[in-house]
Amino acid sequence: DNENYEQYTLGEQSIQDDLPFLSEGIEGVTALVSDGVLLGIELPATVVLEIVDTAPGMKAASSSARTKPATLSTGLVVQVPLFVEPGDRIKVDTRTGEYVSRAKDN
Protein backbone atom coordinates (compact mmCIF):
# COMPACT_ATOMS: atom_id res chain seq x y z
CA ASP A 1 0.00 0.00 0.00
CA ASN A 2 1.72 3.21 -1.17
CA GLU A 3 -0.28 5.40 1.22
CA ASN A 4 0.42 3.76 4.57
CA TYR A 5 3.08 1.23 3.46
CA GLU A 6 1.10 -1.67 4.88
CA GLN A 7 2.26 -4.93 3.32
CA TYR A 8 0.11 -7.85 2.25
CA THR A 9 1.10 -11.34 1.26
CA LEU A 10 -0.37 -13.39 -1.52
CA GLY A 11 0.48 -16.95 -2.43
CA GLU A 12 2.57 -17.42 -5.55
CA GLN A 13 -0.05 -19.78 -6.96
CA SER A 14 -2.68 -17.02 -6.75
CA ILE A 15 -0.68 -14.78 -9.08
CA GLN A 16 1.08 -17.41 -11.22
CA ASP A 17 -0.14 -15.85 -14.49
CA ASP A 18 0.94 -12.36 -13.36
CA LEU A 19 4.49 -13.23 -12.24
CA PRO A 20 6.16 -12.71 -15.66
CA PHE A 21 4.97 -9.09 -15.59
CA LEU A 22 5.98 -8.22 -12.02
CA SER A 23 9.27 -6.48 -11.34
CA GLU A 24 10.79 -4.40 -8.56
CA GLY A 25 9.21 -0.95 -8.31
CA ILE A 26 6.32 -1.63 -10.70
CA GLU A 27 3.61 1.02 -10.50
CA GLY A 28 -0.06 0.85 -11.36
CA VAL A 29 -0.81 -2.50 -9.72
CA THR A 30 -4.21 -2.49 -8.03
CA ALA A 31 -4.92 -4.79 -5.11
CA LEU A 32 -8.30 -6.18 -4.13
CA VAL A 33 -8.44 -6.19 -0.31
CA SER A 34 -11.40 -7.33 1.77
CA ASP A 35 -11.42 -7.32 5.57
CA GLY A 36 -7.65 -6.86 5.61
CA VAL A 37 -7.04 -9.87 3.35
CA LEU A 38 -5.47 -9.49 -0.09
CA LEU A 39 -7.65 -11.39 -2.55
CA GLY A 40 -5.83 -10.63 -5.79
CA ILE A 41 -4.11 -8.05 -7.95
CA GLU A 42 -4.85 -6.29 -11.21
CA LEU A 43 -1.93 -5.32 -13.43
CA PRO A 44 -1.75 -2.16 -15.51
CA ALA A 45 -2.49 -2.60 -19.23
CA THR A 46 1.23 -2.39 -20.04
CA VAL A 47 4.46 -2.77 -18.11
CA VAL A 48 8.02 -1.76 -18.93
CA LEU A 49 10.59 -4.55 -18.77
CA GLU A 50 14.24 -4.84 -19.79
CA ILE A 51 15.49 -7.21 -22.46
CA VAL A 52 18.25 -9.36 -21.00
CA ASP A 53 18.84 -11.71 -23.94
CA THR A 54 18.13 -11.52 -27.66
CA ALA A 55 20.05 -11.53 -30.91
CA PRO A 56 21.87 -8.25 -31.66
CA GLY A 57 19.73 -5.53 -33.22
CA MET A 58 19.65 -4.84 -36.93
CA LYS A 59 19.47 -1.10 -37.56
CA ALA A 60 18.21 -1.50 -41.15
CA ALA A 61 15.28 -3.55 -39.84
CA SER A 62 13.43 -0.63 -38.23
CA SER A 63 10.49 -0.88 -40.63
CA SER A 64 10.51 -4.66 -40.95
CA ALA A 65 7.59 -6.74 -39.70
CA ARG A 66 9.92 -9.66 -38.86
CA THR A 67 10.48 -10.55 -35.21
CA LYS A 68 12.85 -12.47 -32.96
CA PRO A 69 12.47 -13.91 -29.45
CA ALA A 70 13.68 -11.85 -26.50
CA THR A 71 14.00 -12.88 -22.86
CA LEU A 72 13.00 -10.16 -20.42
CA SER A 73 14.26 -9.47 -16.89
CA THR A 74 11.38 -11.47 -15.39
CA GLY A 75 12.04 -14.53 -17.58
CA LEU A 76 9.13 -13.78 -19.93
CA VAL A 77 9.93 -14.46 -23.60
CA VAL A 78 8.23 -12.23 -26.18
CA GLN A 79 8.58 -11.68 -29.91
CA VAL A 80 10.17 -8.29 -30.63
CA PRO A 81 11.15 -6.41 -33.82
CA LEU A 82 14.62 -7.09 -35.20
CA PHE A 83 15.92 -3.61 -34.24
CA VAL A 84 15.68 -4.04 -30.44
CA GLU A 85 18.79 -5.06 -28.50
CA PRO A 86 19.74 -6.47 -25.09
CA GLY A 87 19.46 -3.71 -22.50
CA ASP A 88 16.54 -2.00 -24.26
CA ARG A 89 13.42 -1.41 -22.18
CA ILE A 90 10.14 -2.27 -23.86
CA LYS A 91 6.43 -2.03 -23.12
CA VAL A 92 4.60 -5.34 -22.93
CA ASP A 93 0.81 -5.79 -22.96
CA THR A 94 -0.11 -7.64 -19.75
CA ARG A 95 -3.31 -9.04 -21.26
CA THR A 96 -1.69 -10.65 -24.32
CA GLY A 97 1.99 -10.89 -23.34
CA GLU A 98 2.96 -9.17 -26.58
CA TYR A 99 5.48 -6.44 -27.42
CA VAL A 100 3.87 -3.00 -27.69
CA SER A 101 6.75 -0.56 -28.25
CA ARG A 102 10.09 0.61 -26.98
CA ALA A 103 9.80 2.37 -23.63
CA LYS A 104 10.17 6.14 -23.77
CA ASP A 105 13.04 6.10 -21.27
CA ASN A 106 15.43 4.43 -23.77
Side-chain angles (χ1 to χ4, degrees):
D1 187 331
N2 284 341
E3 290 181 17
N4 64 12
Y5 299 101
E6 186 172 348
Q7 295 186 7
Y8 299 94
T9 58
L10 190 61
E12 185 175 324
Q13 197 166 18
S14 300
I15 57 170
Q16 192 69 35
D17 293 341
D18 298 329
L19 286 176
F21 303 105
L22 295 174
S23 62
E24 186 73 30
I26 187 173
E27 293 183 9
V29 176
T30 305
L32 176 59
V33 179
S34 177
D35 294 327
V37 177
L38 180 61
L39 302 175
I41 62 171
E42 183 176 319
L43 296 173
T46 61
V47 293
V48 175
L49 297 170
E50 182 176 348
I51 296 174
V52 294
D53 186 39
T54 192
M58 296 175 56
K59 297 203 186 298
S62 61
S63 62
S64 172
R66 295 178 55 199
T67 61
K68 61 184 178 182
T71 303
L72 306 180
S73 56
T74 61
L76 180 65
V77 177
V78 297
Q79 292 293 317
V80 297
L82 295 176
F83 60 85
V84 298
E85 300 181 353
D88 284 351
R89 293 174 50 83
I90 62 170
K91 283 187 180 182
V92 178
D93 188 312
T94 58
R95 298 161 295 196
T96 63
E98 296 176 350
Y99 169 87
V100 175
S101 66
R102 277 186 169 171
K104 298 239 188 264
D105 59 0
N106 273 338

